[in-house]
């Protein structure tokens, strides 16, 4: 995961954790206050996260449906989007999920 931060920037990870914590009523991660105040300029220390039972199940078994994950804007499109459920298969074909 740390290698991906070089491609996405250092704020991608805390922002994505926020998305997962806010996603729905049965969130995949719990959020709690961290050791630094929220607006002190330390986004990775102002909140701490842990996987819930649902999060561990998603990690281990994957998504049952696209809406199990919060959508993620990527290069002009959106991953995990229920409104545009398309994906690229390993063999290069586009498939409706």
């Amino acid at each position: 995961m740390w290698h991906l931060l070089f491609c996405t920037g250092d704020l991608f990870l805390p922002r994505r954790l926020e998305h997962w914590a806010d996603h729905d009523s049965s969130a995949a991660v719990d959020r709690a206050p961290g050791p630094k105040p929220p607006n002190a300029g330390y986004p990775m220390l102002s909140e701490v996260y842990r996987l819930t039972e649902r999060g561990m199940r998603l990690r281990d078994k994957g998504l049952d449906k696209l809406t199990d994950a919060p959508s993620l804007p990527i290069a002009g499109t959106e991953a995990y989007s229920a409104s545009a459920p398309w994906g690229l298969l390993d063999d290069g074909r586009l498939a409706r999920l």
Side-chain angles (χ1 to χ4, degrees):
M1 184 65 159
W2 289 111
H3 295 293
L4 293 175
L5 290 178
F6 293 111
C7 300
T8 61
D10 61 344
L11 294 180
F12 173 79
L13 186 57
R15 180 61 130 170
R16 192 64 183 150
L17 286 168
E18 286 176 18
H19 294 168
W20 278 100
D22 295 336
H23 181 55
D24 59 21
S25 60
S26 59
V29 295
D30 283 332
R31 176 178 40 212
K36 296 282 186 182
N39 294 318
Y42 299 93
M44 292 294 290
L45 295 174
S46 62
E47 294 176 320
V48 293
Y49 297 88
R50 69 175 176 187
L51 285 174
T52 62
E53 282 187 41
R54 180 174 181 257
M56 287 184 252
R57 190 174 61 252
L58 289 172
R59 179 197 62 198
D60 296 340
K61 298 187 183 206
L63 303 175
D64 289 326
K65 54 187 186 284
L66 284 177
T67 55
D68 284 345
S71 62
L72 175 64
I74 300 175
T77 189
E78 200 169 28
Y80 309 108
S81 172
S83 63
W86 293 92
L88 190 62
L89 301 175
D90 289 337
D91 63 7
R93 291 179 296 138
L94 191 62
R96 190 168 179 86
L97 301 175

